[in-house]
Amino acid sequence: MIIEGNKHQTPLHMRADVVIIGSGCGGATVAKLLAEAGKKVVILEQGGYFQARNGDLDQLSDNMWARIDGGRGLDTSTSGEIALMYGNCVGGASVHYWADSWRMPRDRTEQWAAMGVSGHGHDVLTPIFDIIEKDLNVHLPSPDYFNRMNTLFDEGAHKLGWEVERVPQARKGCVKSGHCYQGCSYDAKQSMLVTYVPAAIEKGATLVSDCRVTSVERNAGGAVTGIKGRLVDRATGANRDIAVQVDAPVVVLAAGGFVSAALWLQWKLPNTRNLVGKNFLCNPNTFLYGLYPEPVELWKNIPAATGTSRFRLAQYDAQGKYVEGGYLLHPNQIQVEFLALTVPGFGADHFKLMERLPYMGSAVSWIDDEMPGEITLDDAGNASYSYQVRGVDELKARDSMKKQASLLFASGATEIIVPNVAGTRLHGLRDIGLLDKIDLSNGNYLFAAPHPAGALRMGDDPDKAVVKSTHEAHEVPGLYVADPSVFPMQPSVDPSMVIMALSHIAAKNILERLS
């Protein structure tokens, strides 16, 4: 059953085995598995229910920002340095992700184990990844899905002696529209909106969209008993005067890496060791633009059919000094309106760049960040994100831009544009040293942050972690977390499949609890 809260007019009071807050990769996976196991499941999603068949995913950025992006695409860290990219719709961030679908590398599962996480080893996750890849039609893209930027990327990498690999994609029937980030208008991208959410509903789950949870209810012993909330006016985001109550012995918090820790604080759940909101990571992106003598048209076909993992792991010398790496490196995809927003300059200078947009290419890196920020609440009780790219992460960021510049020049770019306030230009390899000098702080260079993690860290030691390795909160019996908030560190690849795999483990433990 589907209840669109913005249209519903009467209070809702339901009873369930499990109530799930959020419908992205974590929440939708848990919902599907528990519904298939015969449990009564209610999914609550603060965002709206938008469907391609109704024309809701119309590829118009002003509409899509308002419909599927958290903060309508405008939220940033406190300094303006980090643009927060997250979903606020049924299907969560999977509705606007690129569909890159990686398994977590063995070296990272080993690091997680060393940090106190049990039951999430490589051998445990491998059969789960097999299931997810089959469910989501994950496959390597064929050559016809390479846009010009993808082929230029490979040409540049080969000239530099860097190995490349095709990026696994969760797609079925892709028509190469190039609007993956804005929600697939053809239901080809295998997001939770078109896979696990409808699968859960088919097995009896109830979905309530446009619903804001205002509290997690607990009994005298501290165990959860359900939630209370309000239906939301979709146009304004304001609470309506229509109450929602779901009674359930298990609550799953799956609101996403940017939101779950803030909700925990707003709901005043136990935080005895003051760990909630700490260890906030976000995979900040660096990117550069290159001007080519031929049309590139960044906005066509799928975003990243190819890339290189050569620099995924950071390298250090014998004295422990950073040398290079610590990021993924891929071709970038960005639509015309996003290009207009992010290329530097104003007035006539900006207009000249806009005239050359078809000839503009780009490379992007996801920094495997180690220097965390913190999620707190401001004086008004709203989420506040303190984060600065600093220390070794700043070294990684600058090195990633140098590698991007080297690749763009090797692939034929005649000039490189840095998307910073100063509008720095590189005219050849001799200028790459400028990337060591540009100001990266306080919004002088805008980092995108698509992969929040860590603010409800998982581990067996309650003095170091908020959530057990079972995904149940150390201090709140019956409350489980199934989103990247539990990552003790980033998985070093796109996290979507990792979130789903961990949610399989959470669902298994919930079933054992209910039994």
Side-chain angles (χ1 to χ4, degrees):
M1 180 170 64
I2 300 170
I3 300 171
E4 293 195 59
N6 68 313
K7 302 175 182 177
H8 193 79
Q9 301 301 326
T10 58
L12 292 170
H13 188 177
M14 295 176 281
R15 289 176 173 81
D17 296 312
V18 180
V19 57
I20 300 172
I21 304 165
S23 61
C25 288
T29 301
V30 173
K32 171 185 179 290
L33 294 170
L34 296 183
E36 287 177 343
K39 301 304 177 184
K40 189 172 183 179
V41 176
V42 174
I43 311 166
L44 305 178
E45 169 58 53
Q46 179 175 287
Y49 182 44
F50 301 108
Q51 301 173 79
R53 64 175 177 268
N54 294 339
D56 297 329
L57 307 178
D58 60 14
Q59 300 183 352
L60 298 175
S61 289
D62 49 355
N63 288 337
M64 298 319 302
W65 268 327
R67 289 173 186 164
I68 69 173
D69 277 39
R72 303 196 174 203
L74 300 175
D75 282 356
T76 69
S77 59
T78 53
S79 68
E81 182 174 316
I82 306 292
L84 312 181
M85 302 167 65
Y86 61 104
N88 186 48
C89 59
V90 173
S94 71
V95 178
H96 68 59
Y97 81 145
W98 276 6
D100 300 351
S101 301
W102 297 91
R103 297 186 176 206
M104 186 158 69
R106 181 189 289 269
D107 57 74
R108 197 49 53 101
T109 64
E110 292 171 351
Q111 286 180 290
W112 282 21
M115 298 174 75
V117 175
S118 60
H120 291 71
H122 179 80
D123 293 342
V124 173
L125 294 175
T126 295
I128 299 174
F129 284 132
D130 290 340
I131 294 169
I132 297 168
E133 288 178 347
K134 182 178 180 180
D135 288 347
L136 272 60
N137 195 45
V138 175
H139 61 281
L140 298 179
S142 56
D144 56 310
Y145 285 97
F146 280 56
N147 61 21
R148 184 58 180 139
M149 190 62 240
N150 280 260
T151 58
L152 286 169
F153 184 97
D154 280 2
E155 290 169 11
H158 288 144
K159 287 181 181 178
L160 294 168
W162 300 347
E163 64 279 2
V164 296
E165 66 275 332
R166 297 186 185 185
V167 178
Q169 303 287 316
R171 304 180 189 277
K172 185 183 294 183
C174 176
V175 301
K176 312 172 189 176
S177 75
H179 286 268
C180 304
Y181 177 75
Q182 296 168 300
C184 181
S185 301
Y186 309 95
D187 283 345
K189 187 172 64 175
Q190 298 297 283
S191 71
M192 298 297 97
L193 175 65
V194 300
T195 54
Y196 284 1
V197 169
I201 293 168
E202 183 180 351
K203 292 298 182 178
T206 296
L207 168 69
V208 184
S209 69
D210 309 282
C211 176
R212 178 173 289 121
V213 176
T214 55
S215 66
V216 169
E217 300 298 293
R218 298 188 296 145
N219 62 23
V224 301
T225 59
I227 65 90
K228 289 185 178 179
R230 285 284 186 273
L231 297 183
V232 173
D233 177 68
R234 188 178 295 178
T236 65
N239 289 346
R240 299 170 64 202
D241 192 24
I242 301 178
V244 176
Q245 180 174 334
V246 183
D247 301 325
V250 172
V251 174
V252 178
L253 179 55
F258 283 124
V259 179
S260 286
L263 291 176
W264 190 296
L265 295 170
Q266 289 168 346
W267 297 335
K268 296 180 171 54
L269 294 174
N271 185 22
T272 303
R273 296 167 182 84
N274 196 32
L275 297 174
V276 174
K278 302 291 198 300
N279 195 47
F280 167 56
L281 304 166
C282 62
N283 269 171
N285 288 174
T286 58
F287 56 103
L288 297 176
Y289 294 126
L291 288 173
Y292 287 83
E294 61 171 297
V296 176
E297 297 179 316
L298 273 173
W299 46 89
K300 290 190 173 181
N301 216 317
I302 70 173
T306 188
T308 178
S309 298
R310 180 187 182 95
F311 306 106
R312 179 178 66 84
L313 297 177
Q315 303 296 316
Y316 299 88
D317 64 18
Q319 288 73 43
K321 184 179 178 181
Y322 174 80
V323 177
E324 68 173 358
Y327 49 83
L328 291 179
L329 178 56
H330 287 284
N332 200 4
Q333 184 183 79
I334 193 165
Q335 280 73 41
V336 172
E337 51 272 44
F338 287 94
L339 278 166
L341 179 68
T342 54
V343 295
F346 298 92
D349 290 339
H350 190 265
F351 185 80
K352 289 178 182 178
L353 280 177
M354 290 292 289
E355 287 185 313
R356 301 187 67 184
L357 288 191
Y359 297 84
M360 194 174 292
S362 183
V364 62
S365 296
W366 290 262
I367 306 303
D368 189 22
D369 48 336
E370 301 178 48
M371 308 298 291
E374 183 178 3
I375 301 174
T376 58
L377 301 182
D378 62 20
D379 292 342
N382 298 316
S384 179
Y385 302 89
S386 298
Y387 187 98
Q388 182 182 8
V389 177
R390 67 192 195 281
V392 69
D393 291 342
E394 181 180 340
L395 298 178
K396 292 176 183 178
R398 294 186 188 278
D399 184 64
S400 71
M401 288 191 285
K402 291 177 187 177
K403 297 299 195 298
Q404 291 169 26
S406 298
L407 185 142
L408 293 172
F409 280 131
S411 63
T414 58
E415 184 178 5
I416 287 174
I417 303 164
V418 181
N420 62 340
V421 172
T424 303
R425 305 287 185 97
L426 311 182
H427 299 281
L429 292 174
R430 66 185 182 277
D431 294 333
I432 284 182
L434 293 174
L435 297 172
D436 283 324
K437 302 174 183 177
I438 61 173
D439 188 356
L440 299 181
S441 65
N442 299 321
N444 283 288
Y445 180 99
L446 181 63
F447 293 90
H451 303 148
L456 296 173
R457 180 175 169 174
M458 178 168 58
D460 293 327
D461 186 348
D463 289 328
K464 297 179 180 178
V466 179
V467 175
K468 303 174 187 178
S469 294
T470 61
H471 290 256
E472 185 178 19
H474 277 290
E475 295 193 89
V476 189
L479 176 63
Y480 289 76
V481 181
D483 66 29
S485 301
V486 303
F487 293 177
M489 64 188 301
Q490 293 283 14
S492 77
V493 293
D494 182 281
S496 58
M497 282 226 308
V498 179
I499 299 167
M500 289 180 245
L502 266 61
S503 298
H504 270 253
I505 296 171
K508 174 179 176 291
N509 290 319
I510 291 168
L511 284 173
E512 290 178 358
R513 179 186 181 87
L514 291 173
S515 297

